[in-house]
């Protein structure tokens, strides 16, 4: 069986009309930790083929409780490890890795206007706020999904989806802080799945 | 002086800055995305934004985790 026919079958169970839209989308993932690595995994399985991903860090053992990495990848830059893991799902993806610390001074250099969808997947609250200010001011036409509040062991239904504006969706319980409450795979991955789904829905709305 | 903060009416003393109400809402101003009448401000500018009658203030506080 050649690669093309494998890929045809890969999306055979997708709901009608979804695959074509996601195949055309260009997505940026800011941060490849608990949110970003799992969002990327979900997007690729849903049909997104063009993903740019940024993270300055390397995989460490304490990431493996919730992030889409493996023991053998400890010490490897997260963007490189994630790219390898995504290509293991589908070797024909268009993936662009950026091993950089994103900050207000370089957001506009790396997050161009040509992206259809940007995911805020940082772990640091100040960085989340910085990227949100940039997106709300400079990238108003781009779909933007951010997360605030995914830590601890509170009920998963406390994670809300708030449509703050036409293109800005905020996911999270708004209060649980990872520094105080820890991070558990089930809740972090639930939040990342909700985040990915919100982005997918927004892309389908536009199609 | 009456303003609207996150959809609720509030009475403030004249001269109240954006920074004054952010300090009530969050431990760190850097974690807050603040808009006044739709304009987004940087944390370094919060203290210099003096609120006016009828302003609509939108505060969004981020917590860590990802």
């Amino acid at each position: 069986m050649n690669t093309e026919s494998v890929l045809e079958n890969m999306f055979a169970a997708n709901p009608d009309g979804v695959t074509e839209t996601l195949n055309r989308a260009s997505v940026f993932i800011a941060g490849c930790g608990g949110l970003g690595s799992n969002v990327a995994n979900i997007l690729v399985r849903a049909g997104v083929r063009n993903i740019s991903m940024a993270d300055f860090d390397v995989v460490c053992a304490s990431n493996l409780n919730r992030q889409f990495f493996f023991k053998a990848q400890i010490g490897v830059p997260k963007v490189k490890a994630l790219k390898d893991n995504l290509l293991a799902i589908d070797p024909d993806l268009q993936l662009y890795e950026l091993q950089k610390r994103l900050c207000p001074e370089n957001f506009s250099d790396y997050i161009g206007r040509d992206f259809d969808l940007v995911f805020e997947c940082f772990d640091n609250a100040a960085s989340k706020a910085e990227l949100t200010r940039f997106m709300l001011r400079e990238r108003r036409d781009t779909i933007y999904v951010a997360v605030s509040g995914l830590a601890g062991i509170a009920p998963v239904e406390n994670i809300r989806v708030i449509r703050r504006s036409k293109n800005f969706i905020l996911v999270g319980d708004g209060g649980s802080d990872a520094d105080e409450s820890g991070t558990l795979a089930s809740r972090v991955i639930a939040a990342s799945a909700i985040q990915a789904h919100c982005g997918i829905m927004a892309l389908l709305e536009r199609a | 002086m009456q303003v609207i903060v996150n959809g609720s009416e509030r009475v403030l003393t004249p001269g109240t800055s954006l920074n004054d109400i952010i300090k009530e809402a969050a431990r760190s101003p850097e974690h807050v995305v603040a808009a006044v009448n739709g304009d987004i401000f940087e944390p370094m500018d919060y203290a210099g934004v003096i609120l006016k009658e009828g302003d609509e203030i939108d505060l969004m506080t981020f917590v860590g985790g990802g």
Side-chain angles (χ1 to χ4, degrees), chain B:
Chain B
M1 179 180 80
Q2 195 156 303
V3 300
I4 296 171
V5 181
N6 287 352
S8 301
E9 290 183 355
R10 285 229 4 219
V11 176
L12 303 176
T13 52
T16 300
S17 73
L18 182 57
N19 198 50
D20 293 331
I21 61 165
I22 286 173
K23 279 194 297 190
E24 292 171 18
R27 280 169 298 179
S28 172
E30 288 76 22
H31 297 178
V32 178
V33 174
V36 179
N37 303 324
D39 292 329
I40 307 277
F41 289 92
E42 290 296 324
M44 62 185 292
D45 299 325
Y46 291 165
V49 178
I50 306 301
L51 300 172
K52 304 184 304 295
E53 174 76 29
D55 277 347
E56 291 191 26
I57 300 119
D58 189 25
L59 304 180
M60 197 181 344
T61 303
F62 280 86
V63 293

Side-chain angles (χ1 to χ4, degrees), chain A residues 150-183:
Chain A
L150 51 62
I153 52 172
V156 74
E157 61 267 29
N158 291 9
I159 297 174
R160 300 181 304 273
V161 175
I162 302 172
R163 189 94 182 220
R164 303 276 314 200
S165 63
K166 178 167 167 276
N167 289 326
F168 174 30
I169 301 161
L170 182 63
V171 175
D173 63 34
S176 66
D177 192 315
D179 290 337
E180 297 164 4
S181 313
T183 45

Side-chain angles (χ1 to χ4, degrees), chain A residues 23-46:
Chain A
N23 278 178
R24 287 193 301 268
S26 175
V27 174
F28 190 96
I29 299 178
C32 299
L35 288 170
S37 66
N38 290 307
V39 163
N41 177 22
I42 292 164
L43 292 180
V44 165
R45 293 183 193 282

Side-chain angles (χ1 to χ4, degrees), chain A residues 22 27-53 66-69 82 86 89 93 95 117-122 128 144-147 150 171 185 187-200 203, chain B residues 65-66:
Chain A
L22 298 189
V27 174
F28 190 96
I29 299 178
C32 299
L35 288 170
S37 66
N38 290 307
V39 163
N41 177 22
I42 292 164
L43 292 180
V44 165
R45 293 183 193 282
V48 175
R49 310 193 53 73
N50 183 329
I51 302 176
S52 298
M53 45 204 182
R66 67 194 186 286
Q67 303 186 16
F68 179 48
F69 299 113
L82 183 56
L86 298 174
I89 300 168
L93 300 169
L95 302 177
L117 169 59
V118 172
F119 288 98
E120 180 282 306
C121 297
F122 294 139
K128 287 172 177 286
Y144 175 59
V145 192
V147 175
L150 51 62
V171 175
R187 203 154 191 266
V188 172
I189 294 171
S192 64
I194 293 168
Q195 185 183 21
H197 189 66
C198 289
I200 288 169
L203 286 172

